[in-house]
Amino acid sequence: MKKIAIFASGSGTNAENIAKCFSDHKHIEVAVVLSNNPRAGVHERMKRLEIPSFTLSRDEFATGDAVLKKLSEHDVDWIVLAGFMNRIPPVFMNVYPDRIVNIHPALLPKYGGKGMYGMHVHEAVVAGGERESGITIHYVNENYDEGQIIFQAKCSVAPEDTPEDVAAKVHRLEYAHYPEVLERLLTGTV
């Protein structure tokens, strides 16, 4: 059984989708959710799903010791980022080499990097006159959104689309593809 820890900072819709997809899986389990935000909606979502979730401070994530202890307590094999807003320090990559995965709401390398998250990305895509956007699932390295790309899926952007329209299209791609790609990674069928 491969055990996942999800790191999330916000409402937790992707975390909930992943947890539901793996709720009865024979080989994959969401073991714990960790957040840097005590008011994050992800905690309530995980409570309903009976998955433990904890808040650790920004400093605890930065130094890593308390977070790594919590991951060890839950026998975590992989870390999955789902709307997590902190940079991942190198100590995590040392303990979980090529086992930390993130999803970005654009087609990297465009519209990535520090400050490019959520609606900021969709606003930039529309302002840039892009004809397509999408998702990028990638391994995490020491730089924002620069890890090796695992998977991308595209959606069209019409000239009349608002950032909210693009966000809705991208969310549909996230929900459809993130669990599927994670399953292939964790079961070795990528």
Side-chain angles (χ1 to χ4, degrees), residues 30 45 77 79 93 98 104 128 131 144 147 158 164 172 182 188:
V30 175
R45 291 176 190 277
D77 300 296
I79 298 170
M93 270 109 18
D98 298 323
H104 185 74
R131 293 289 184 230
Y144 285 110
E164 292 77 15
R172 284 192 293 274
L182 290 171

Side-chain angles (χ1 to χ4, degrees), residues 7 34-36 54-70 84 86-87 89 91-92:
F7 289 8
L34 302 181
S35 180
N36 58 335
F54 302 92
T55 300
L56 291 107
S57 71
R58 182 176 292 273
D59 288 342
E60 288 172 311
F61 274 100
T63 59
D65 294 339
V67 176
L68 289 171
K69 182 176 186 236
K70 192 63 76 177
F84 187 67
N86 282 8
R87 189 178 147 276
V91 64
F92 290 96

Side-chain angles (χ1 to χ4, degrees), residues 78 101 139 150 180-190:
W78 285 74
V101 179
Y139 290 109
I150 300 165
E180 172 192 313
V181 172
L182 290 171
E183 180 178 35
R184 291 193 334 239
L185 278 174
L186 273 67
T187 60
T189 57
V190 170

Side-chain angles (χ1 to χ4, degrees), residues 55-141:
T55 300
L56 291 107
S57 71
R58 182 176 292 273
D59 288 342
E60 288 172 311
F61 274 100
T63 59
D65 294 339
V67 176
L68 289 171
K69 182 176 186 236
K70 192 63 76 177
L71 296 174
S72 177
E73 288 170 5
H74 291 274
D75 298 319
V76 168
D77 300 296
W78 285 74
I79 298 170
V80 173
L81 308 186
F84 187 67
M85 296 298 124
N86 282 8
R87 189 178 147 276
I88 302 297
V91 64
F92 290 96
M93 270 109 18
N94 293 337
V95 177
Y96 292 93
D98 298 323
R99 289 182 288 139
I100 306 174
V101 179
N102 185 37
I103 189 166
H104 185 74
L107 298 171
L108 293 174
K110 287 185 171 183
Y111 306 106
K114 187 171 174 65
M116 292 304 286
Y117 60 89
M119 286 305 292
H120 298 290
V121 175
H122 308 307
E123 289 165 356
V125 166
V126 170
E130 298 291 340
R131 293 289 184 230
E132 63 183 11
S133 190
I135 60 167
T136 302
I137 299 170
H138 64 93
Y139 290 109
V140 172
N141 68 12

